[in-house]
Amino acid sequence: MGIVSSLPSLTGAKRLVIKIGSALMVDPQQAAPRHEWLDSVVADIAFLRERGVQVCVVSSGAIALARYRLGLVDGTLRLAEKQAAASVGQVLLAQAWAEALERHGMTASQILLTAEDTEERQRYLNGRATIQTLLELGCVPVINENDTIATAEIRFGDNDRLAARIAQMIGADQLVLLSDIDGLYESDPRSNPAAVHLPVIERLTREIMAMGGNPPPGYPSGGMRTKLLAAVMATQSGCAMVIAQGAMKHPLCAVMEGERCSWFLAAEEALTVRQ
Ligand code: GLU
């Protein structure tokens, strides 16, 4: 069996988690959600839902949206400023999702979680039961970190790992990280145009993990490193993960149509491929 023929396909998923970063959600010029683009993502979600795939979204963008709205554009924000921004921006973010989903005949639900909520057993079980019930009722849960109350010590800080944690919690079989890059490269393609792209990663070896590099300048997390940490969490729980370019319209259809991306196989899939 060839590796490519055994790659997961989004329409084959039972439960899919889609993570969308702030840079995709928010148009810095308009200081608003990128509505047309979001509409195309939601059309893709409708396509998957019609094929029986349960979809859960992890959406960033709360802080970015309010940063512009509140004029907090320059420099690094203090924790309290970020939390205030998240509180304002989450309303705008949820509204954008609710309206877009509504236009395509779907119902949004909002869930805000802290790292603690995913660790403390009773809260974890409650959260899981709620998300599962929402999916069974046909809703599209739109999840974000509860930035307004999470303290620095208990923050995920990045939604890549939050999305992987959600995928673990609800037993998702696939996780899509929509990003500003079309996958994992052996070296940084921004500084090395000849960098080799990796379409399939069977195992997260030390060599692969080293390709994560450092977080982007000025950020404590984010970039490829946290995506690889998310891949460890997801693949070990039997969930395949894909990093794909999200900037174009209909980014999920693009993955289905074979646009370049990087698949990280779930632990047991990788085993089948090797056998
Ligand atoms: N939770 C943050 C927000 O919505 C974003 C975190 C991230 O982008 O990873 O603004």
Side-chain angles (χ1 to χ4, degrees):
M1 188 181 8
I3 289 181
V4 173
S5 66
S6 57
L7 276 183
S9 88
L10 301 187
T11 45
K14 290 187 191 67
R15 275 200 179 148
L16 182 65
V17 177
I18 302 165
K19 183 262 172 177
I20 297 180
S22 301
L24 295 174
M25 274 303 295
V26 183
D27 176 348
Q29 253 91 51
Q30 308 287 324
R34 294 174 60 215
H35 290 292
E36 269 183 45
W37 174 84
L38 181 59
D39 208 67
S40 81
V41 173
V42 170
D44 290 359
I45 293 176
F47 176 87
L48 288 163
R49 282 275 314 273
E50 279 156 20
R51 277 147 192 84
V53 183
Q54 292 183 337
V55 179
C56 191
V57 172
V58 174
S59 175
S60 307
I63 297 174
L65 274 173
R67 254 186 109 115
Y68 296 112
R69 180 67 74 104
L70 299 176
L72 295 168
V73 274
D74 299 320
T76 316
L77 301 187
R78 289 181 291 115
L79 180 64
E81 283 173 335
K82 272 191 208 159
Q83 297 191 301
S87 162
V88 171
Q90 186 60 38
V91 180
L92 306 168
L93 187 65
Q95 188 185 13
W97 275 103
E99 287 173 3
L101 285 162
E102 177 87 45
R103 278 196 294 279
H104 290 267
M106 293 177 283
T107 303
S109 84
Q110 175 185 261
I111 301 174
L112 300 176
L113 290 173
T114 61
E116 265 185 329
D117 296 328
T118 69
E119 276 151 20
E120 201 269 313
R121 187 173 158 75
Q122 204 51 51
R123 281 150 78 171
Y124 166 90
L125 291 175
N126 262 333
R128 183 173 75 171
T130 306
I131 299 171
Q132 282 173 343
T133 305
L134 285 161
L135 290 171
E136 281 152 20
L137 289 170
C139 302
V140 177
V142 179
I143 303 175
N144 196 358
E145 182 160 12
N146 196 346
D147 294 309
T148 301
I149 59 161
T151 63
E153 295 72 39
I154 60 157
R155 284 188 91 215
F156 275 99
D158 71 87
N159 276 357
D160 295 323
R161 280 175 301 163
L162 174 63
R165 187 76 181 118
I166 300 293
Q168 278 184 332
M169 261 173 101
I170 63 170
D173 42 3
Q174 292 179 28
L175 165 63
V176 183
L177 301 185
L178 289 182
S179 171
D180 57 358
I181 187 165
D182 56 4
L184 180 66
Y185 287 77
E186 282 183 1
S187 55
D188 190 340
R190 286 164 299 191
S191 48
N192 173 16
V196 177
H197 176 266
L198 300 173
V200 189
I201 294 91
E202 285 179 48
R203 268 188 320 134
L204 290 156
T205 57
R206 200 173 300 175
E207 206 188 348
I208 294 283
M209 294 309 287
M211 291 173 197
N214 293 317
Y219 289 87
S221 62
M224 197 48 74
R225 200 162 140 263
T226 58
K227 291 182 175 37
L228 291 178
L229 295 174
V232 172
M233 290 167 71
T235 57
Q236 282 175 359
S237 332
C239 176
M241 187 184 105
V242 61
I243 301 176
Q245 171 61 260
M248 73 287 254
K249 287 206 183 140
H250 298 287
L252 300 167
C253 281
V255 172
M256 291 182 253
E257 285 158 10
E259 190 73 39
R260 181 144 92 161
C261 57
S262 293
W263 277 101
F264 296 78
L265 302 185
E268 72 268 27
E269 270 169 353
L271 195 67
T272 321
V273 170
R274 277 199 298 282
Q275 280 166 353

